Amino acid sequence: MTKAFGLDLPACDLQGVGFHGSAKYPGEALNLSFRAPKDCVDRFLADHSVDLARPVHWSPGQGAGTGFDSDTETRTFGWSFDKNVTYDLFVDFTTSTGSRFSALADPGQTERTVYLEARHLGGS
């Protein structure tokens, strides 16, 4: 499914990889999450056009117009967000094929969890 979006996972030690998408319609939707060392996550984000110095600071329940705000979607994907944590939200995550994602990352100092929600399937 990631190939339909031109998305390659980083080549580092990934933990807790989870995804939700349709094998029958692989380019229709993709939600993906994983935990990795902070430097790996930050490099992965930067390699996909994310400006790490300019995140939108987001807390659960604040609203941002993404699936991260939907209790139904987060339960479906097995995601849970700590209401006492401020996450970094990036809406400019782009793959080499032009697919765009919203990316959310926790503020971990040694490891970070990143959550990706596909917004647009680019051309191949």
Side-chain angles (χ1 to χ4, degrees):
M1 283 185 269
T2 58
K3 292 194 184 308
F5 289 90
L7 180 65
D8 291 320
L9 294 178
C12 59
D13 184 24
L14 303 181
Q15 301 171 15
V17 176
F19 69 94
H20 184 267
S22 170
K24 186 174 181 179
Y25 304 103
E28 186 175 286
L30 177 63
N31 293 309
L32 174 75
S33 62
F34 61 85
R35 186 156 191 80
K38 180 185 184 314
D39 62 333
C40 177
V41 169
D42 290 351
R43 189 172 46 257
F44 176 69
L45 293 170
D47 286 349
H48 289 90
S49 305
V50 166
D51 183 351
L52 292 168
R54 302 182 63 115
V56 172
H57 297 290
W58 177 85
S59 296
Q62 132 184 357
T66 69
F68 306 126
D69 297 311
S70 167
D71 287 338
T72 303
E73 285 192 36
T74 57
R75 277 194 306 271
T76 298
F77 310 141
W79 294 347
S80 63
F81 301 112
D82 185 338
K83 294 186 185 302
N84 298 311
V85 172
T86 299
Y87 295 80
D88 292 339
L89 173 64
F90 305 97
V91 295
D92 51 354
F93 184 103
T94 307
T95 69
S96 61
T97 61
S99 296
R100 291 190 302 270
F101 290 76
S102 291
L104 189 70
D106 70 19
Q109 296 301 308
T110 58
E111 291 187 322
R112 296 183 87 178
T113 300
V114 65
Y115 306 87
L116 298 170
E117 175 192 43
R119 293 191 348 251
H120 171 76
L121 176 64
S124 45

